[in-house]
Structure formats: C-alpha cells, structure tokens
Amino acid sequence: MKQICNLDLAKYKIEKEQNIILAKKYLVSSIYNTAKIEGCNVTYPDTQTILAGAVINNVSVDDIQTILNLRDAYRFMITSINTPFSLEYVCKINEYVSRNESLQWGVLRSGDVGVGGTDWKPEIPDKKNTEEKIKRILALNNPIDRALEYFSYAVKSQLFWDGNKRTSIIAANKILVSNQCGILNIMQENIAEFNKTLLYYYNTNDNHPLRRCLKRSIYSIDKGFNMINYYAAETGLFIKTANKLLREGKSLHDIKEFFKKFVLDDRQNDEKNKLLELLKPFSNGR
C-alpha cells in the first residue's frame, strides 16, 4: 500500500506568499512563545516593547538578548524562505539564535553536553552523518513529517552548544512555510505537554507523543483565511481516506497498518480507538 504521506493534504496547503504573510502576522507570538519555552521571564507586552526598540526596565539583559536573537532568526527564516534547507542553513539559524549566548554559535557542537532532567548523553555530532540524516529526512514525502522528524532528530542530537530547541523550532518552520503548510507555534497551553513529551522522547526514543504535541501546534488558514489546526484537519482526512479505502475493499487491519506510523501512533490510545470505531460501520465485518 502507499505510504501515509500520500494523504491528500493539498486542500490544506496555502499559497507560499500567504504562508509568509501568516508567519509575519504571528511573528511576535512565535517569538514570545519560543522564548517562554526557554524559560524567559517576559510577558507578551514586554516582548512587543522589546521588539519595538523601546527601553524596558523589568526584564533581564539575558532575556532581552534572547528576544532580539529570536527576532533576527525568524526574520532570517522568512526572508530566505526560498533558500534550500541544509545543515549550513540550520547553522545560520543557530548563529542568530545563540549569538552572545553560548560557547560558539553557528557551528556544530564539538564537545560533550548533558540534557537537564534526563540521563540522555548525545554523541558529538559528525558533519557528514548529520548531512546524511538531514538528506534522509528531506526525502520524506509529507512536509509535515519532514518538519516533525527534523525537529525530533535535531533536538535530541543537540547539534549545537546552545539554543537547540529554538533553532529546531525555526528550522521546522522553514520546512513548513517553504512547503505551504502553515506555521509551528507552541502556545502557552501546550508548553507543559511539550516539555513532558520531549523528556519522554529523550528517555525512550519514542517521538510519537512529541509529534502529537507538535501537530497540535501547527496552524494554517483555510480558503476563507480562518485559522485551522493541522491536527484536527488530519483527523478529518484520516476518516475520509480510511472510509474510501474500506469502500474499495481494504480490510480494517490493512487500513490500521496503512495509517499506523504517522497518524495512529501519534494518537493516544483512547483517541486511536475512537477513530477506528468510526470506521467499523463501514467495514462489513472485514
């Protein structure tokens, strides 16, 4: 059977210029939420004030630096959206993200690091192996999967001395925007789940709960320019496509296997069971 990546996502794609406008519209929100993931003690109005270049006294110099670095990194991503995705490109993102914040910025890590809250010890990244891994990720058909798998790989590998989560979020956005698939913006209500599933991934190497969390944080617009959430859109596509396969004579078991890796395994068990229950009336006992 065809891979899950051949789900008909075309109706949820938007024009590239529209996607760039969307990224610009939510630039402040993206910067604010990405900074909060790093534990920056800033409010949304603080972020707006810093980005406007006004003097602010209740925010630390380090947090201001983080905000300004994120501004420059997001702007670089948006203005270079047609530049091919590569390790060199990701290094450039990290150069903006980690400027004046780490031992080195814009180059692969050359020493050992630890990850707080886990015993996970990532290997020192090798340039050739990293380039090969990125090449394999970019070969995935579905741009959503490319973005999620790149984020998972890069954040666990800790490619850089610092700013790995921030760099990975912006790199994932590069993949999404350049492929007209919306933006990744991890809102405040999802940060606790993000941290929990990321830690779980470090400890188990199972990135499906993390993928589920990230999918809930991908937003696009419909033809009426209303915000839509990719996770909900994918649910509808799963039901529509699965029922089409049932009508064509495919068994429920085959369909479950068909969708397993990139849809069903990204769902919690109760939700997975509910989705499959919606298909049973059409299966005629198969």
Side-chain angles (χ1 to χ4, degrees), residues 41-43 45-47 49-50 53-64:
N41 186 25
V42 293
T43 64
D46 288 339
T47 304
T49 301
I50 294 167
V55 176
I56 189 165
N57 297 318
N58 62 329
V59 178
S60 73
V61 172
D62 287 345
D63 286 348
I64 292 173

Side-chain angles (χ1 to χ4, degrees), residues 1 242 245-259 276 279 283 285-286:
M1 298 183 79
L245 292 172
L246 282 171
R247 290 193 295 271
E248 292 174 354
K250 299 295 188 295
S251 71
L252 191 60
H253 175 268
D254 285 346
I255 290 171
K256 183 176 179 180
E257 291 301 310
F258 175 35
F259 288 100
L276 292 174
L279 307 181
S283 66
R286 286 192 298 271

Side-chain angles (χ1 to χ4, degrees), residues 14-24 78 81-82 177-178 180 221 225:
I14 56 180
E15 296 295 328
K16 185 177 289 187
E17 287 304 314
Q18 292 176 339
N19 211 144
I20 292 171
I21 291 170
L22 180 67
K24 290 179 178 178
I78 292 170
I81 203 62
N82 292 320
V177 176
S178 62
Q180 306 156 249
I221 50 177
F225 293 94

Side-chain angles (χ1 to χ4, degrees), residues 15-266:
E15 296 295 328
K16 185 177 289 187
E17 287 304 314
Q18 292 176 339
N19 211 144
I20 292 171
I21 291 170
L22 180 67
K24 290 179 178 178
K25 181 178 180 180
Y26 287 91
L27 180 61
V28 177
S29 174
S30 296
I31 292 170
Y32 168 68
N33 288 318
T34 307
K36 294 298 285 186
I37 286 172
E38 288 297 324
C40 287
N41 186 25
V42 293
T43 64
Y44 192 87
D46 288 339
T47 304
Q48 291 176 305
T49 301
I50 294 167
L51 294 175
V55 176
I56 189 165
N57 297 318
N58 62 329
V59 178
S60 73
V61 172
D62 287 345
D63 286 348
I64 292 173
Q65 179 77 60
T66 296
I67 295 293
L68 295 178
N69 284 0
L70 284 169
R71 175 200 64 187
D72 294 344
Y74 272 105
R75 283 180 176 174
F76 166 72
M77 182 273 291
I78 292 170
T79 58
S80 62
I81 203 62
N82 292 320
T83 301
F85 190 95
S86 64
L87 175 58
E88 180 182 4
Y89 187 91
V90 175
C91 286
K92 190 66 177 178
I93 293 175
N94 183 259
E95 182 179 328
Y96 285 109
V97 164
S98 298
R99 184 180 59 226
N100 298 322
E101 290 189 26
S102 63
L103 293 172
Q104 291 178 299
W105 47 88
V107 296
L108 288 176
R109 173 173 55 85
S110 57
D112 293 324
V113 296
V115 179
T118 176
D119 293 330
W120 166 247
K121 300 291 184 184
E123 296 180 355
I124 297 173
D126 173 79
K127 181 180 179 182
K128 183 178 179 180
N129 290 342
T130 302
E131 289 175 334
E132 283 298 314
K133 180 63 177 179
I134 290 174
K135 183 178 180 180
R136 288 196 294 272
I137 291 171
L138 295 179
L140 296 171
N141 275 350
N142 185 350
I144 302 290
D145 291 328
R146 286 179 228 157
L148 300 184
E149 290 301 311
Y150 175 78
F151 180 92
S152 299
Y153 161 70
V155 78
K156 187 168 187 183
S157 298
Q158 296 285 295
L159 297 178
F160 304 101
W161 285 107
D162 198 10
N164 285 287
K165 289 194 292 290
R166 286 168 283 167
T167 300
S168 299
I169 289 170
I170 297 171
N173 268 300
K174 155 69 175 172
I175 295 172
L176 294 174
V177 176
S178 62
N179 287 280
Q180 306 156 249
C181 291
I183 59 171
L184 173 65
N185 189 1
I186 304 171
M187 305 288 190
Q188 296 301 289
E189 60 268 24
N190 291 329
I191 288 180
E193 181 187 4
F194 170 76
N195 288 330
K196 179 180 178 180
T197 56
L198 182 59
L199 186 62
Y200 177 81
Y201 173 46
Y202 285 142
N203 289 328
T204 66
N205 203 37
D206 177 4
N207 74 337
H208 288 99
L210 176 62
R211 284 173 55 99
R212 178 174 65 245
C213 177
L214 294 174
K215 279 184 181 179
R216 287 175 175 157
S217 299
I218 296 175
Y219 301 91
S220 187
I221 50 177
D222 61 19
K223 292 183 179 179
F225 293 94
N226 301 304
M227 291 293 291
I228 59 173
N229 177 261
Y230 174 78
Y231 194 76
E234 185 187 63
T235 298
L237 283 171
F238 165 77
I239 295 170
K240 179 180 178 181
T241 306
N243 281 323
K244 178 176 181 291
L245 292 172
L246 282 171
R247 290 193 295 271
E248 292 174 354
K250 299 295 188 295
S251 71
L252 191 60
H253 175 268
D254 285 346
I255 290 171
K256 183 176 179 180
E257 291 301 310
F258 175 35
F259 288 100
K260 187 175 181 181
K261 185 175 181 183
F262 294 116
V263 175
L264 292 179
D265 276 6
D266 290 344

